[in-house]
Amino acid sequence: MLKRQGTSQVFMNAGGGAAAVGGSDAANAPPLKSRVTAAILAFLLGGLGFHKFYLGQTGMGLLYLVFCWTFIPAIIGFIEGIIYLTSSDAAFKRKYG
């Protein structure tokens, strides 16, 4: 069965689910990161690097995780949380997507 929805074509597969073919890039784009969520993660779990994992910086997240016992990542995470909150939405989106 073929349905038209906007510019995308949706095909019904044998299992009854729909699979989108064609369509805009916005539908396939990764979700935007929230600076408030990143800041909260930096404040609460910054010593373990959760905010870095959230922002897609896996290498830095692992580095924070390895050195969490020194409490240095916790201090840096707290400072980064403040930076995230004080930056504008446009600057945050430009840097972290």
Side-chain angles (χ1 to χ4, degrees):
M1 176 178 198
L2 175 65
K3 289 185 185 179
R4 289 235 177 235
Q5 291 181 343
T7 61
S8 297
Q9 295 178 351
V10 177
F11 296 96
M12 299 300 287
N13 62 17
V21 177
S24 65
D25 291 334
N28 298 329
L32 297 176
K33 306 296 182 188
S34 166
R35 69 182 177 94
V36 175
T37 303
I40 290 170
L41 286 172
F43 286 134
L44 298 178
L45 300 169
L48 298 174
F50 281 103
H51 62 296
K52 293 295 187 180
F53 289 114
Y54 173 73
L55 294 173
Q57 299 175 343
T58 309
M60 286 299 293
L62 289 173
L63 192 65
Y64 277 50
L65 197 57
V66 168
F67 289 103
C68 68
W69 60 273
T70 65
F71 295 106
I72 293 171
I75 296 168
I76 296 171
F78 186 79
I79 293 169
E80 286 176 336
I82 293 170
I83 291 170
Y84 296 155
L85 287 179
T86 57
S87 67
S88 68
D89 286 334
F92 185 84
K93 181 179 177 183
R94 188 173 47 250
K95 187 168 183 179
Y96 300 108

